[in-house]
Amino acid sequence: MGSSLMGKRKEKISSNIGWSTPDKINVRGLDLPNEILGHMNLGDLAFLQLTGRKATPEESRVFNAIIITLVEHGITPSALAARMTYMGAPESLQAAVAAGLCGLGTVFVGSMEGASKMLYEALPEDRLGTGADLDAIALETVEKFRAKKAIVPGLGHPVHKPVDPRAPRLFQIAAENGKSGEYIELIQKIQTVAEEKSGKMLPINATGAIGAICCEFGFPWKIVRGFGVMARAIGLVGHILEESENPISFELWQRAEEEILETSGPGAA
């Protein structure tokens, strides 16, 4: 591409995340062997990597709760994709994990990005603490999605009804650690309006709760899906290990073939 499309070229390439020399490894200004190893858990390191600073004890509890929530949720489409890929290419564990991660989008896991974006657009950060009418904002937000015949991100779940048990616990942890504010209040009001307008049970799901909490942190909405990616990668490695020891993918494949043959093959009713 031409420089006009890519912007002005930098005089020097730079990064503030990390660097290495023959005898040192530095991550966000901290010495990895002596200041991070044995001092930080995985969630705290993720927070450092993203923000460039150490989490406070309160931030650590909330952020770790977010990440842990997203690691595992059973035989989901992403887990099935990972397991099936591993069955076909057991020599490439990383490809199986990548296959599972590719399905984290607007329906599964990645919907917290949509929830964060919705909340930021409805209540820009410069309006926080100004006495904004959250009831009116909630109504306007729901009406916008209804006019588009679109699903309100962060609401509803195919299994967890009338309450997704993860959401109230995440909100409780956020409140106990000073991360419960207008964004959490707003998504709760959006849920109330959405249920009233639709006549359906639309619980705030885990990704809706996480999307709101991420707004309380001030994380950019465009990076929020990444929290699900990093967490689910851990879960998928667990599924692949189980698949290697107690495989189910071959059986699922064979059952699908048998049922398709019964319903669509020669002699099918």
Side-chain angles (χ1 to χ4, degrees):
M1 292 184 180
S3 59
S4 62
L5 295 177
M6 299 300 292
K8 185 179 179 181
R9 293 188 62 177
K10 295 180 180 234
E11 292 183 6
K12 290 186 178 181
I13 295 172
S14 65
S15 172
N16 294 320
I17 292 178
W19 50 263
S20 299
T21 66
D23 62 345
K24 290 185 180 295
I25 302 171
N26 187 282
V27 177
R28 289 292 194 180
L30 298 179
D31 181 72
L32 176 64
N34 298 308
E35 295 181 284
I36 295 177
L37 298 184
H39 300 284
M40 286 189 181
N41 58 44
L42 184 60
D44 288 350
L45 179 59
F47 189 92
L48 173 69
Q49 177 84 346
L50 290 162
T51 67
R53 65 176 179 84
K54 291 182 179 180
T56 66
E58 294 77 17
E59 289 172 330
S60 173
R61 284 190 284 272
V62 180
F63 188 78
N64 273 281
I66 287 173
I67 301 301
I68 290 169
T69 299
L70 296 166
V71 169
E72 182 53 44
H73 198 45
I75 305 297
T76 58
S78 62
L80 285 171
R83 284 173 177 259
M84 289 289 188
T85 302
Y86 183 77
M87 179 186 70
E91 72 283 359
S92 186
L93 180 145
Q94 70 274 18
V97 173
L101 295 179
C102 284
L104 306 186
T106 55
V107 177
F108 294 104
V109 181
S111 53
M112 57 196 182
E113 175 187 297
S116 290
K117 187 172 186 288
M118 171 188 72
L119 292 171
Y120 277 139
E121 290 177 347
L123 184 62
E125 290 182 278
D126 60 7
R127 292 187 63 192
L128 291 174
T130 63
D133 186 343
L134 298 185
D135 289 304
I137 292 172
L139 177 60
E140 180 183 3
T141 300
V142 172
E143 292 292 7
K144 283 181 179 178
F145 280 92
R146 287 177 62 81
K148 296 184 292 185
K149 293 182 169 53
I151 295 172
V152 179
L155 300 187
H157 196 280
V159 177
H160 302 306
K161 297 177 182 180
V163 175
D164 182 334
R166 298 166 295 180
R169 178 59 179 148
L170 284 167
F171 289 150
Q172 179 186 8
I173 294 169
E176 290 171 350
N177 291 280
K179 286 294 179 185
S180 183
E182 290 179 277
Y183 288 116
I184 288 178
E185 185 179 357
L186 178 56
I187 199 168
Q188 291 171 333
K189 289 181 179 295
I190 287 172
Q191 179 212 6
T192 299
V193 174
E195 288 189 332
E196 290 174 351
K197 293 289 183 179
S198 67
K200 300 177 182 177
M201 286 188 294
L202 295 172
I204 299 173
N205 55 44
T207 56
I210 289 171
I213 295 170
C214 284
C215 289
E216 300 289 358
F217 271 99
F219 291 127
W221 66 262
K222 62 185 177 182
I223 202 66
V224 168
R225 187 182 302 191
F227 301 159
V229 173
M230 68 174 75
R232 191 52 60 89
I234 296 171
L236 293 177
V237 172
H239 275 276
I240 291 167
L241 177 59
E242 184 180 70
E243 183 67 22
S244 71
E245 298 172 342
N246 179 30
I248 63 173
S249 293
F250 185 84
E251 179 73 15
L252 291 171
W253 170 37
Q254 291 302 301
R255 289 188 187 183
E257 288 279 8
E258 290 168 4
E259 293 192 17
I260 289 171
L261 187 63
E262 290 175 3
T263 58
S264 305

